[in-house]
Amino acid sequence: MDDTYTPPQDPLVVLHDDAEMLVVDKPSGLLSVPGKGAHLADCLIARVQAVWPQALLVHRLDRDTSGVMVFGLTPHAQRFLSRQFELRAARKTYVARVWGRLTPKTGRVDLPLIVDWENRPRQHVNHETGKPAITDWRVLRDSEAESRVRLMPKTGRSHQLRVHMLALGHPILGDPFYATGDALAFERLMLHSEELRIKHPDSAKMMRFRQPTPF
């Protein structure tokens, strides 16, 4: 990644903006936060802070994942929003295209995950040292070649959706870490954070933010 990082230069897509919080659509190929080295400095939070200098990080999406991402605009908002992710109160919904026909139509993956130290940043299933990770899925439509699925993670482990789909034998299409062969031959990772439901830091009202899947 270090030698080929060429993030998209599209303008920010703002889904919501008020005194406490900002919600944007992160494009695929853009880091959420800076990587190591000046060549990895361009990232979503840097672009956001160029317009909202007070913006604070609440959560992350993988570089290759697109979709809804929220920032706090005050320290209180950051704490309030971050706490919901920590307590698994934030409701996240993703859409993915995966290899092959996924059966049954609905299900749950409950497999603990931990970093694969020899192959970082890859993660893997480890029943001895892994941290709990749970993902619910529902097939939206399918064919012999691929399935479009809705993924609802109950935890927020690194690469969770990618490794859980791989563990089912259905890697996410275009995944540079976990897909191989024909499943890799796509222009991007086919994973999008389509919807986030979270309570507002000021009113505590449940808010729904959605950005339709672009693939």
Side-chain angles (χ1 to χ4, degrees):
M1 183 183 80
D2 292 11
D3 296 329
T4 60
Y5 182 52
T6 54
Q9 298 301 314
D10 303 329
L12 279 173
V13 176
V14 177
L15 306 178
H16 178 85
D17 172 23
D18 63 33
E20 295 287 336
M21 62 190 295
L22 172 73
V23 184
V24 301
D25 176 24
K26 189 189 87 67
S28 175
L30 179 66
L31 290 166
S32 292
V33 297
K36 294 181 179 179
H39 60 304
L40 298 177
D42 187 12
C43 60
L44 184 60
I45 193 168
R47 295 184 185 184
V48 164
Q49 288 176 340
V51 184
W52 294 269
Q54 74 276 30
L56 298 166
L57 188 72
V58 171
H59 66 124
R60 306 182 189 194
L61 293 176
D62 293 342
R63 178 196 67 172
D64 298 314
T65 303
S66 58
V68 179
M69 193 165 162
V70 62
F71 295 86
L73 295 181
T74 67
H76 161 73
Q78 182 195 36
R79 290 191 299 270
F80 187 89
L81 296 167
S82 298
R83 187 66 173 158
Q84 293 178 72
F85 283 91
E86 293 168 8
L87 295 176
R88 304 179 188 175
R91 295 171 59 185
K92 299 168 285 183
T93 302
Y94 292 74
V95 171
R97 289 167 57 191
V98 304
W99 182 255
R101 175 167 277 145
L102 178 57
T103 56
K105 297 291 187 181
T106 63
R108 167 171 286 192
V109 185
D110 186 353
L111 292 172
L113 303 176
I114 197 166
V115 65
D116 183 353
W117 287 104
E118 295 182 356
N119 298 291
R120 286 178 293 176
R122 289 175 174 82
Q123 311 288 312
H124 68 156
V125 175
N126 189 308
H127 291 280
E128 295 180 356
T129 60
K131 296 179 180 180
I134 299 172
T135 302
D136 289 338
W137 88 81
R138 181 164 67 87
V139 175
L140 300 175
R141 62 176 182 265
D142 60 3
S143 68
E144 289 296 332
E146 67 174 76
S147 302
R148 178 178 290 265
V149 296
R150 180 161 286 135
L151 302 173
M152 294 146 288
K154 304 305 178 185
T155 52
R157 307 301 177 197
S158 181
H159 290 191
Q160 175 176 319
L161 303 179
R162 300 159 79 161
V163 179
H164 276 175
M165 291 299 100
L166 177 69
L168 292 178
H170 299 273
I172 296 176
L173 301 179
D175 192 330
F177 290 128
Y178 305 103
T180 58
D182 291 341
L184 178 58
F186 289 79
E187 67 274 15
R188 57 158 290 180
L189 174 70
M190 296 296 173
L191 178 63
H192 177 74
S193 174
E194 187 173 77
E195 183 176 293
L196 174 66
R197 296 191 183 198
I198 196 165
K199 290 182 179 179
H200 192 277
D202 186 25
S203 66
K205 177 183 177 182
M206 183 64 77
M207 307 285 287
R208 174 179 178 265
F209 305 106
R210 186 176 185 275
Q211 181 68 358
T213 300
F215 50 76

